[in-house]
Amino acid sequence: MSSTGRAAEVRLSIPADSAYIAVPRSVVGNLAARNDFTLDAIDDLRIAVDEACALLLPQSADGVLECVFEVDPPQLTVRTSAVVPDGWQPDTTSFGWTVLTALVESAAAETLDGRLTITVTATATATESA
């Protein structure tokens, strides 16, 4: 939540290059930590965002990945998107997609006007699991 007590949004645009994947992973980790996510949940979100970026990275037609982080405590939603070739969809039976969906409450892929968006959502819990 922002200092005004309302939901907050962070937007990030990075080159579609594996060298830059650490940036959205760091951003989601920081936002999750500031919003009472457990250490395990923070790690899960980092990995999920990494997988979403990795799925889109080789398909980015314009060489850019866009990430939008929406914080609405206790929920954190990350939308990672790229312009992709016509008709391309991630393989939802792949290992990467399986990992992605196992780490968050929900994950979905949607195409609109040639831009594919992978959305992941997680909710902070009050206690750290033992």
Side-chain angles (χ1 to χ4, degrees):
M1 190 172 294
S2 71
S3 59
T4 62
R6 294 186 301 245
E9 180 178 278
V10 174
R11 292 180 171 270
L12 177 65
S13 180
I14 62 168
D17 183 315
S18 60
Y20 294 93
I21 300 276
V23 176
R25 188 172 50 227
S26 295
V27 170
V28 77
N30 184 286
L31 292 172
R34 292 175 179 271
N35 286 280
D36 299 324
F37 279 73
T38 64
L39 294 176
D40 287 341
I42 293 168
D43 285 342
D44 288 350
L45 267 169
R46 284 180 177 149
I47 295 167
V49 167
D50 188 67
E51 287 298 328
C53 290
L55 288 168
L56 290 171
L57 189 82
Q59 301 301 324
S60 176
D62 64 357
V64 177
L65 291 181
E66 301 286 338
C67 299
V68 177
F69 306 85
E70 295 175 1
V71 180
D72 192 5
Q75 197 167 66
L76 178 56
T77 300
V78 181
R79 290 180 175 81
T80 305
S81 66
V83 175
V84 297
D86 285 343
W88 184 84
Q89 288 286 313
D91 179 1
T92 57
T93 63
S94 71
F95 179 74
W97 188 262
T98 301
V99 168
L100 178 86
T101 58
L103 295 172
V104 293
E105 287 173 37
S106 68
E110 169 181 52
T111 303
L112 182 62
D113 296 329
R115 177 171 287 280
L116 187 123
T117 301
I118 298 174
T119 302
V120 298
T121 302
T123 302
T125 55
T127 59
E128 182 77 39
S129 56

